[in-house]
């Protein structure tokens, strides 16, 4: 397994890295995992990558009564609350580095896959963080995931925000490699728009069908792919906004990404 070398950390143990550097690292890991990985665009075998390349073990428990917790990563040995078969809170003892996913909360294969890779990001980058910066001092608890972030640049983030940003970006770069996304976009743009030079906001339904076709090949959500295309400047901000993806489920956080 290729590890992140010469990394810089804050005094609280939070990774300091540019997105471009993290993307290069993710690309290098995939190449190390399979030297022919980038030959043809395809979906990642998440289970094989996590277990046989990263050498991480994922366990599965119901983590909350209201399905609010998607996954957790233990940063120290300790007790973690889970929901037992009687639908009551129980306590389990997990060793440091344990990654636990709630499949009911994730509610789809694409969301579960992203959550798993997100947690492996935490397990690689965040094992020495200062517990004082976490609400739950024994685990990194993920109640939602962000892909692409807010529509506008974020001026400042808390240490925990940076941890979540890096884990989300890592999952994005692993599941939607730039090389695959660019190649597929060129192919599908030609297929769905008959060689038109650029996309406009006036054909959101056809744009959405194109995005869905790319997402299906990489086995990610359509919404996740839309954010990735925007972040790679393959679709403009104007086209992205025409899709209406900034709207959340009723009662949700304005920046929460609900997958489709």
């Amino acid at each position: 397994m290729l590890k992140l070398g010469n990394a810089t950390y804050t005094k609280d143990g939070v990774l300091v890295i540019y997105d471009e550097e993290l993307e290069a690292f993710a690309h290098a890991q995939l190449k190390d995992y399979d030297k022919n990985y980038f030959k043809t665009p395809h979906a990642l075998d998440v289970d094989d990558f996590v277990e046989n390349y990263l050498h991480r073990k994922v366990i599965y428990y119901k983590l909350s009564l209201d399905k609010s917790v998607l996954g957790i990563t233990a940063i120290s040995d300790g007790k973690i609350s889970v929901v037992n078969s009687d639908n009551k809170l129980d306590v389990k003892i997990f060793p440091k580095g344990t990654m636990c996913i709630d499949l009911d909360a994730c509610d789809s294969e694409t969301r579960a896959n992203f959550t798993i890779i997100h947690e492996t990001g935490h397990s690689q980058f965040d094992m020495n963080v200062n517990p004082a910066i976490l609400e739950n001092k024994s685990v990194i608890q993920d109640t939602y995931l962000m892909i692409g972030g807010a529509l506008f640049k974020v001026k400042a983030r808390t240490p925990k925000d940076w941890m979540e940003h890096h884990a989300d970006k890592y999952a994005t770069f692993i599941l939607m490699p730039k090389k695959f996304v660019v190649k597929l976009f060129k192919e599908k743009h030609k297929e769905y728009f008959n060689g038109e030079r650029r996309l406009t906001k006036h054909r959101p339904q056809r744009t959405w069908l194109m995005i869905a076709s790319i997402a299906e090949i990489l086995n990610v959500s359509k919404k996740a792919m839309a954010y990735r295309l925007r972040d790679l400047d393959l679709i403009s901000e104007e086209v992205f906004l025409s899709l209406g993806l900034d709207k959340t489920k009723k009662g949700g956080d304005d920046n929460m990404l609900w997958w489709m």
Side-chain angles (χ1 to χ4, degrees):
M1 174 188 131
L2 189 66
K3 296 183 180 180
L4 189 61
N6 300 318
T8 301
Y9 292 85
T10 69
K11 60 181 178 62
D12 288 318
V14 177
L15 178 65
V16 178
I17 192 170
Y18 290 109
D19 289 350
E20 294 80 5
E21 294 174 304
L22 190 56
E23 184 165 24
F25 172 67
H27 183 281
Q29 275 196 330
L30 291 171
K31 189 73 173 177
D32 190 49
Y33 166 60
D34 178 359
K35 65 180 181 180
N36 295 314
Y37 191 83
F38 291 103
K39 190 172 182 179
T40 305
H42 64 281
L44 176 68
D45 184 334
V46 169
D47 290 339
D48 185 65
F49 179 75
V50 171
E51 294 175 14
N52 297 321
Y53 178 70
L54 296 180
H55 306 297
R56 299 296 197 274
K57 183 178 179 181
V58 180
I59 61 175
Y60 299 92
Y61 278 101
K62 188 173 181 179
L63 296 172
S64 60
L65 292 169
D66 61 359
K67 298 183 179 182
S68 63
V69 183
L70 306 178
I72 59 172
T73 297
I75 64 168
S76 63
D77 297 343
K79 298 177 180 179
I80 296 174
S81 295
V82 299
V83 180
N84 62 27
S85 58
D86 295 325
N87 213 37
K88 295 181 180 179
L89 289 177
D90 199 354
V91 175
K92 297 287 183 181
I93 298 177
F94 291 156
K96 180 178 180 177
T98 298
M99 298 182 299
C100 186
I101 305 296
D102 186 333
L103 291 179
D104 288 339
C106 290
D107 70 34
S108 69
E109 182 182 5
T110 57
R111 196 173 192 184
N113 284 344
F114 195 95
T115 304
I116 290 169
I117 300 298
H118 175 102
E119 298 303 330
T120 66
H122 285 314
S123 76
Q124 293 177 77
F125 312 141
D126 301 325
M127 287 297 93
N128 295 308
V129 298
N130 179 2
I133 69 176
L134 303 175
E135 292 179 7
N136 186 327
K137 292 181 172 54
S138 63
V139 298
I140 302 166
Q141 181 169 286
D142 290 303
T143 56
Y144 64 90
L145 302 174
M146 297 280 294
I147 304 173
L151 295 178
F152 304 101
K153 297 293 184 183
V154 177
K155 294 182 179 179
R157 289 186 173 97
T158 66
K160 179 64 163 57
D161 289 339
W162 276 116
M163 291 165 59
E164 295 305 323
H165 175 83
H166 294 145
D168 269 345
K169 285 296 185 181
Y170 175 73
T172 296
F173 299 149
I174 288 290
L175 294 172
M176 294 174 278
K178 180 178 179 179
K179 192 169 184 177
F180 284 176
V181 175
V182 170
K183 181 177 176 60
L184 290 170
F185 175 80
K186 290 178 179 177
E187 292 175 357
K188 297 301 181 179
H189 178 265
K190 184 176 181 180
E191 177 182 342
Y192 281 86
F193 289 90
N194 301 315
E196 291 180 16
R197 295 182 63 184
R198 67 185 184 92
L199 302 178
T200 70
K201 66 178 181 179
H202 304 297
R203 304 175 78 176
Q205 291 182 332
R206 184 167 295 191
T207 300
W208 189 243
L209 289 173
M210 180 196 70
I211 291 170
S213 68
I214 300 172
E216 183 177 8
I217 293 171
L218 298 184
N219 195 25
V220 298
S221 75
K222 298 184 287 291
K223 200 164 188 179
M225 182 54 65
Y227 273 84
R228 183 66 164 138
L229 292 170
R230 183 202 68 173
D231 291 344
L232 288 172
D233 292 324
L234 293 171
I235 62 175
S236 67
E237 192 76 7
E238 182 181 55
V239 170
F240 178 82
L241 290 173
S242 74
L243 301 173
L245 301 183
D246 57 321
K247 297 178 181 177
T248 61
K249 281 187 177 180
K250 195 172 183 179
D253 185 292
D254 287 343
N255 289 330
M256 189 177 291
L257 179 57
W258 291 97
W259 293 16
M260 300 177 68

